[in-house]
Amino acid sequence: MADHDQLTRWVADSTSSASTTRRTLLKGFAAAGAAVSLSSKIAWADGEIGYWAKDLPPEKLIDMYSTILRIRWFDRTLADKQLDDRSFRNLIHLYAGQEAVATGVCAALNNKGPFNEIDVIYGTHRPSGHAIAKGVNMGKLAAEYNFKATGLNRGYAGEMHVADKSVGYMGGDGIVGPAAVIAAGSAFAFRARGTKQVSVVFGGDGTYATPAFHSSLNNAALLKLPFIYVVENNLYHQFAHYSYSCPMKDIATAANTYRIPGIVVDGQDVTQVYNKMKEAVERARAGEGPTLIEAKTYRYYAHWGAPGATVGQLGSFGYDPQAITSWRPERELRDWLQRDPVDICRNTLISWGVLDQAKAAAIETAIKQEVKEAFEWEAKQPLCKPEDGLKNVFIEGPVAARQFG
């Protein structure tokens, strides 16, 4: 306990020290969590079969909690900016409410190393959660969202096409569904090269009714590709309930057609998502083929933008003028808010002895400052020049043939 007391004092000192970085502070929390929870680690290993998150080291669990918070406060800042900042130019598709899905999925992947070794993911038109969970720089992401010349893609991508190959985030998808086919192609390339990489595609509930959904799963099953399809079922595609386009209650049931595992998971609980994703990743690396995972989740804001929202308040509760068909009842949103991914993750880590309330609050304060600084950096960046609009359209010079080597 002497070591734990020393760590506790170090964490307290770090909180007040201006010279200590927030990331160092978070590492201190992780170390303190390790000391607190070491005695129960053995019991977890002999406990519930398949609950792999219980065996993760404290620093990994705290990193997952931190990732959820980064996504949450990045999106809340985006919402407030669209409502109250006329310098913000982009339309946005907010991910708030679904943070546990991207976090749990990416936590089970290999995210560090050279590009020919890391796992890759393909996002959707709601890309902030996927990008941040995979390790994209938040400042450059914010700059890309606002078409700044120093953004991740120099302002050419905006929100829906943002990408960062260096961390294996292959890009958002401005059209519903087709990323699945490209992701399956990456999985085919991994198998052809003999690497142990895995390709993951995220899709909304609306992608079930697209040809790409079935084509990608069909071919991945035939060829036993290291491919994982994650359906984020937030109940609505744009403004229509998914039951208008899917005859099954569980979209994961579609996996039966292709004789592959189809798994339904609680998308509000990051540990549950991690558990199922870990099994799917191990199956893919072992050459056993694809998995379809359906995460039941919910988005707190409207389909795009923040109509009906209020600055400083989480979620869209007011009238949405974009909703030309039926739309969700307010009580449904309030019900889902009672199972918030941030609260579930925090409460789980506290119950496991990894954190206490004070440390959890300090982590959130540090993350909010990170996000604030990311947007402050973005605000200082230059806009793209009009004359740059025709750059990167045509390739100049010779193009080497790559299909043979």
Side-chain angles (χ1 to χ4, degrees):
M1 289 304 294
D3 289 342
H4 175 241
D5 292 341
Q6 183 178 357
L7 283 168
T8 302
R9 287 194 297 274
W10 179 83
V11 169
D13 292 341
S14 297
T15 306
S16 60
S17 173
S19 63
T20 304
T21 66
R22 282 180 300 281
R23 291 197 181 276
T24 303
L25 176 63
L26 297 183
K27 288 180 181 178
F29 288 146
V36 170
S37 62
L38 184 61
S39 62
S40 58
K41 178 76 161 58
I42 298 173
W44 292 349
D46 294 332
E48 300 170 61
I49 301 300
Y51 208 99
W52 312 112
K54 284 187 175 181
D55 290 321
L56 289 173
E59 58 268 22
K60 177 74 170 182
L61 293 167
I62 290 174
D63 182 65
M64 291 162 68
Y65 176 58
S66 300
T67 298
I68 287 175
L69 288 171
R70 287 189 184 98
I71 300 169
R72 170 61 56 84
W73 286 104
F74 186 89
D75 268 27
R76 288 194 63 170
T77 304
L78 284 176
D80 287 354
K81 277 186 166 292
Q82 183 158 87
L83 291 168
D84 201 38
D85 185 351
R86 298 189 67 179
S87 71
F88 189 78
R89 297 163 182 80
N90 207 340
L91 64 91
I92 50 175
H93 298 80
L94 297 169
Y95 195 77
Q98 302 179 202
E99 296 92 344
V101 183
T103 301
V105 166
C106 291
L109 299 176
N110 177 19
N111 301 312
K112 295 182 179 180
F115 181 69
N116 62 353
E117 294 179 7
I118 59 176
D119 299 321
V120 302
I121 68 169
Y122 290 79
T124 68
H125 59 282
R126 203 174 299 284
S128 59
H130 310 136
I132 293 171
K134 200 64 169 69
V136 167
N137 178 278
M138 286 193 296
K140 292 184 177 181
L141 181 64
E144 188 62 37
Y145 268 45
N146 207 10
F147 299 107
K148 297 297 182 70
T150 51
L152 273 176
N153 308 110
R154 292 179 291 173
Y156 285 88
E159 179 209 28
M160 291 190 288
H161 303 284
V162 65
D164 186 356
K165 177 183 174 182
S166 69
V167 297
Y169 178 63
M170 305 309 290
D173 185 357
I175 302 173
V176 177
V181 177
I182 307 171
S186 291
F188 181 83
F190 298 156
R191 201 194 72 167
R193 294 171 185 165
T195 69
K196 291 295 183 181
Q197 293 166 275
V198 174
S199 178
V200 180
V201 66
F202 291 90
D205 42 276
T207 62
Y208 166 80
T210 66
F213 175 93
H214 300 279
S215 175
S216 61
L217 288 174
N218 183 68
N219 285 288
L222 282 171
L223 300 173
K224 291 191 177 297
L225 300 181
F227 174 68
I228 301 170
Y229 201 125
V230 180
V231 173
E232 298 180 281
N233 186 353
N234 61 23
L235 302 186
Y236 297 91
H237 34 277
Q238 291 193 342
F239 312 104
H241 194 271
Y242 81 100
S243 59
Y244 285 105
S245 63
C246 179
M248 298 95 70
K249 177 182 177 182
D250 296 327
I251 295 173
T253 306
N256 296 339
T257 303
Y258 307 107
R259 298 182 179 180
I260 63 172
I263 300 166
V264 177
V265 66
D266 179 2
Q268 304 305 91
D269 187 339
V270 68
T271 63
Q272 298 282 0
V273 176
Y274 173 84
N275 294 336
K276 298 306 180 185
M277 186 63 185
K278 180 180 185 296
E279 294 174 351
V281 169
E282 290 179 349
R283 183 174 185 273
R285 294 203 205 283
E288 297 175 10
T291 299
L292 173 61
I293 297 176
E294 178 187 0
K296 305 284 192 181
T297 185
Y298 201 79
R299 56 177 160 85
Y300 293 161
Y301 290 93
H303 166 62
W304 74 268
T310 303
V311 173
Q313 178 178 315
L314 176 64
S316 294
F317 295 95
Y319 171 68
D320 183 354
Q322 305 169 79
I324 57 175
T325 58
S326 59
W327 187 225
R328 62 186 186 188
E330 181 179 315
R331 290 179 180 177
E332 181 180 270
L333 170 57
R334 295 192 182 280
D335 187 53
W336 277 90
L337 282 165
Q338 301 308 305
R339 298 201 67 256
D340 183 62
V342 174
D343 295 340
I344 291 173
C345 183
R346 180 181 59 248
N347 293 340
T348 297
L349 298 194
I350 289 173
S351 71
W352 288 357
V354 176
L355 290 175
D356 58 27
Q357 290 285 2
K359 290 173 185 174
I363 290 172
E364 185 162 14
T365 298
I367 296 298
K368 288 168 72 173
Q369 183 62 26
E370 271 187 45
V371 173
K372 180 175 181 289
E373 291 177 3
F375 279 92
E376 287 175 347
W377 181 85
E378 174 274 321
K380 299 174 183 177
Q381 302 310 301
L383 285 166
C384 300
K385 297 177 181 178
E387 57 267 31
D388 291 340
L390 294 179
K391 288 184 178 180
N392 306 305
V393 177
F394 300 102
I395 293 177
E396 298 179 1
V399 180
R402 295 184 298 171
Q403 63 266 40
F404 303 113

